[in-house]
């Protein structure tokens, strides 16, 4: 019965780049919801290290960051018993699907991808073919698992559209092979702004390092960053237009404590911004402490991590292999 319930759950696929740390903004806006998704959906999470090499990487650093990213998603609550969590390069079907699907993707479709234009401008001395075709690899990532839903931000919407177009084109020529995936748009997660420029979202590329909090920052760093957060001259903790800095701090405080804005205004009535900033910093540090502790435990137990990502790759490969076998048969490849 339990297996049937598993089968009935819709499949969600999400790929995470091994690009260093997760920001507080990413965490509160998206990552924190992943644990809830596991209860409702069959979730498949991949550390997409094959995507990372479209820009030059230091090999030792890429290996380390891949392991850290894997440990970090487990520390954030991804349960390898409930979800499939694997490293992309461990499942060879991704590279194989990439070639097959590239032959069902039009040159013009890839030419229109805005991320290719953006990344080419940032890396003018390394405009490689992978940078141009990686949306096909992404389509394969999604379609191999007969994915129903893909969590997407605005910057990835175009790539999901391409995956849908490729699936529809392939199905049209060869009969029903792929599930045509839809976007998953969660209840709007909190939009967290930079602590130094609250008109912009919190980002790793913030020119001021104090603007961005990472979930693995030690408590003293978190407190220091919140103490230097930009506010206004009113000295009143209240949520309203024109108070971007305080609105952002109240949003963060509400996310980590569960308090409403009304409650926060009441609690800090008559208190200065210094008190409020210190309280927000402390609340964030306390909220993130279990993640930091769990991450440290996981990174100290490489054998356990390896057993998790190996088992994840085996589970992923079983599903992806079934899809790829079907694709090869329909294309007309002679079976092995």
């Amino acid at each position: 019965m339990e297996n049937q319930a598993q089968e009935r759950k819709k499949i969600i696929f999400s790929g995470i780049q091994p690009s260093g740390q997760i920001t507080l903004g990413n965490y509160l806006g998206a990552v924190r919801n992943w644990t809830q998704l596991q209860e409702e959906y069959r979730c498949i999470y991949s550390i997409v290290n094959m995507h990372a090499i479209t820009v030059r990487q230091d090999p030792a650093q890429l290996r380390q960051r891949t392991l850290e990213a894997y440990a970090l998603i487990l520390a954030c609550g991804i349960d390898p018993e409930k979800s499939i969590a694997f490293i992309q390069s461990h499942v060879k079907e991704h590279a194989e699907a990439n070639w097959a699907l590239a032959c069902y993707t039009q040159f013009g479709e890839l030419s229109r991808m805005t991320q290719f234009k953006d990344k080419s401008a940032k890396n003018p001395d390394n405009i490689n073919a992978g940078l141009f075709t990686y949306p096909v690899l992404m389509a394969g990532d999604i379609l191999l698992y007969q994915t129903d839903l893909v969590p997407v931000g605005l910057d990835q919407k175009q790539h999901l559209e391409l995956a849908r177009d490729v699936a529809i084109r392939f199905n049209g020529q060869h009969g029903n092979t792929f599930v045509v995936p839809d976007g998953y748009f969660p209840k709007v997660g909190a939009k967290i702004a930079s602590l130094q420029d609250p008109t912009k979202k919190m980002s790793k590329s913030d020119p001021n390092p104090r603007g961005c909090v990472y979930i693995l920052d030690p408590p003293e760093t978190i407190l220091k960053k919140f103490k230097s957060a930009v506010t206004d001259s009113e000295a009143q903790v209240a949520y309203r237009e024109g108070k971007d800095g305080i609105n952002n701090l109240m949003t963060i405080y509400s996310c980590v404590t569960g308090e409403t804005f009304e409650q926060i205004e009441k609690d800090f009535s008559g208190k200065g911004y210094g008190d409020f900033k210190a309280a927000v910093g402390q609340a964030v540090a306390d909220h993130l402490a279990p993640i930091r502790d769990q991450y440290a435990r996981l990174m100290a137990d490489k054998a356990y991590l390896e057993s998790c990502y190996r088992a994840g790759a085996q589970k992923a490969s079983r599903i992806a292999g079934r899809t790829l076998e079907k694709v090869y048969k329909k294309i007309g490849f002679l079976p092995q």
Side-chain angles (χ1 to χ4, degrees), residues 167-292:
I168 291 163
R169 183 175 297 131
F170 194 96
N171 290 350
Q173 285 184 33
H174 299 290
N176 201 14
T177 310
F178 295 117
V179 168
V180 179
D182 284 314
Y184 174 78
F185 303 97
K187 291 183 283 295
V188 178
K191 288 194 169 32
I192 306 299
S194 161
L195 298 183
Q196 293 297 315
D197 181 358
T199 61
K200 294 193 171 80
K201 78 169 192 175
M202 185 177 284
S203 161
K204 291 178 194 172
S205 53
D206 196 317
N208 188 333
R210 290 179 305 173
C212 182
V213 174
Y214 295 99
I215 62 173
L216 294 179
D217 276 347
E220 59 277 14
T221 304
I222 292 173
L223 290 169
K224 209 181 280 180
K225 285 178 179 178
F226 276 98
K227 269 181 188 155
S228 71
V230 168
T231 51
D232 54 57
S233 55
E234 272 187 3
Q236 187 192 4
V237 177
Y239 194 99
R240 59 171 178 265
E241 209 172 320
K243 289 173 74 71
D244 294 332
I246 287 296
N247 294 350
N248 187 40
L249 292 175
M250 286 179 72
T251 300
I252 293 169
Y253 193 73
S254 171
C255 280
V256 297
T257 63
E259 286 196 15
T260 64
F261 289 160
E262 291 75 23
Q263 187 63 49
I264 297 168
E265 286 179 18
K266 209 153 71 182
D267 289 350
F268 290 92
S269 172
K271 292 185 181 166
Y273 283 167
D275 289 342
F276 181 53
K277 290 198 282 188
V280 181
Q282 192 60 56
V284 168
D286 292 346
H287 181 82
L288 296 176
I291 295 173
R292 277 195 306 275

Side-chain angles (χ1 to χ4, degrees), residues 18 49 52-53 55-67:
N49 57 336
I53 64 167
V55 293
R56 290 283 170 262
Q57 300 282 345
D58 173 273
Q61 192 180 62
L62 179 60
R63 267 191 293 277
Q64 182 64 16
R65 281 187 167 176
T66 301
L67 189 66

Side-chain angles (χ1 to χ4, degrees), residues 12-16 22 27 30-47 68-87 151 215 290-291 294-295 298 304-305 308-309 312 315:
I12 279 188
F13 177 89
S14 194
I16 301 107
I22 293 173
Y27 173 72
V31 178
R32 193 165 65 155
N33 303 330
W34 293 350
T35 45
Q36 279 97 42
L37 291 179
Q38 294 178 119
E39 307 308 320
E40 218 178 310
Y41 299 97
R42 192 162 180 219
C43 293
I44 301 174
Y45 294 106
S46 178
I47 306 300
E68 287 170 355
Y70 190 83
L72 196 49
I73 65 169
L74 298 195
C76 285
I78 297 303
D79 180 345
E81 297 299 318
K82 288 181 182 170
S83 298
I84 296 177
F86 71 100
I87 292 161
I215 62 173
I291 295 173
Q294 178 64 352
Y295 174 78
L298 288 165
Y304 172 73
L305 276 180
C308 288
Y309 66 63
K315 288 179 200 165

Side-chain angles (χ1 to χ4, degrees), residues 55-190:
V55 293
R56 290 283 170 262
Q57 300 282 345
D58 173 273
Q61 192 180 62
L62 179 60
R63 267 191 293 277
Q64 182 64 16
R65 281 187 167 176
T66 301
L67 189 66
E68 287 170 355
Y70 190 83
L72 196 49
I73 65 169
L74 298 195
C76 285
I78 297 303
D79 180 345
E81 297 299 318
K82 288 181 182 170
S83 298
I84 296 177
F86 71 100
I87 292 161
Q88 186 186 25
S89 62
H90 291 171
V91 179
K92 63 181 173 37
E93 286 85 359
H94 287 254
E96 294 181 39
N98 181 35
W99 172 250
L101 296 179
C103 299
Y104 289 81
T105 307
Q106 300 303 300
F107 188 86
E109 289 173 319
L110 292 175
S111 303
R112 288 192 288 277
M113 293 285 144
T114 53
Q115 286 216 347
F116 173 68
K117 291 167 190 161
D118 297 345
K119 287 192 173 179
S120 301
K122 279 183 193 155
N123 300 282
D125 54 343
N126 183 26
I127 303 173
N128 58 70
L131 193 60
F132 186 68
T133 62
Y134 85 90
V136 181
L137 178 61
M138 195 180 285
D141 298 339
I142 295 164
L143 300 179
L144 277 171
Y145 299 96
Q146 304 297 354
T147 302
D148 298 292
L149 298 166
V150 184
V152 275
L154 285 174
D155 58 338
Q156 297 294 350
K157 222 170 160 193
Q158 223 188 359
H159 292 146
L160 177 62
E161 283 305 320
L162 181 78
R164 287 174 55 83
D165 291 344
V166 170
I168 291 163
R169 183 175 297 131
F170 194 96
N171 290 350
Q173 285 184 33
H174 299 290
N176 201 14
T177 310
F178 295 117
V179 168
V180 179
D182 284 314
Y184 174 78
F185 303 97
K187 291 183 283 295
V188 178

